């Protein structure tokens, strides 16, 4: 198992997916700045509860920190999120 910690911006709002077997999980991608005018993109898989919290408090363009297990399939990397922290919260509707 290879763990990774990333800080990046959500590329879109969280998608909550329900499988035929009734399992629910979330997917989203983050863009991480490498500091050399390059950006790396990572797909994230979240538990149902993580996806609900992230979609409620964070949206596209907002920064998060994630720690999880990274797996590679072909040229793509997926991180199965163990924990995350929201750095930039959504603006409140009650302003």
């Amino acid at each position: 198992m290879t763990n990774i910690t990333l800080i990046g911006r959500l590329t879109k709002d969280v998608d909550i997916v329900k499988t035929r077997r009734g399992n629910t999980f979330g997917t989203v991608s983050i863009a991480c700045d490498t500091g050399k005018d390059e950006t790396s993109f990572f797909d994230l898989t979240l538990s149902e509860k993580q996806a609900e919290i992230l979609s409620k408090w964070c949206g596209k363009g907002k920064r998060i920190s994630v720690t999880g297990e990274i797996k590679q399939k072909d040229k793509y990397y997926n991180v199965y999120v163990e924990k995350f922290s929201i750095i930039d919260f959504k603006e409140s509707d009650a302003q």
Side-chain angles (χ1 to χ4, degrees):
M1 175 165 70
T2 304
N3 285 330
I4 189 168
T5 299
L6 301 165
I7 295 175
R9 294 189 181 274
L10 297 179
T11 61
K12 61 179 184 168
D13 291 335
V14 178
D15 288 326
I16 297 178
V17 180
K18 189 163 192 155
T19 67
R20 289 184 208 153
R21 292 186 171 181
N23 298 326
T24 304
F25 63 95
T27 61
V28 71
S29 296
I30 60 171
C32 300
D33 183 11
T34 63
K36 299 178 182 176
D37 295 331
E38 293 179 14
T39 303
S40 296
F41 295 88
F42 295 87
D43 294 328
L44 307 179
T45 301
L46 305 123
S47 71
E48 178 179 9
K49 187 68 174 172
Q50 290 172 328
E52 289 172 358
I53 292 168
L54 193 59
S55 65
K56 179 177 180 179
W57 295 104
C58 196
K60 180 180 177 180
K62 301 299 183 184
R63 289 185 304 153
I64 64 168
S65 166
V66 298
T67 300
E69 182 181 355
I70 188 167
K71 294 188 177 184
Q72 181 179 4
K73 185 174 182 180
D74 299 323
K75 299 185 295 185
Y76 301 99
Y77 290 96
N78 192 64
V79 177
Y80 294 89
V81 176
E82 294 171 8
K83 62 181 179 178
F84 69 90
S85 297
I86 299 171
I87 299 170
D88 297 333
F89 286 85
K90 284 183 180 178
E91 287 78 23
S92 174
D93 293 335
Q95 289 187 11

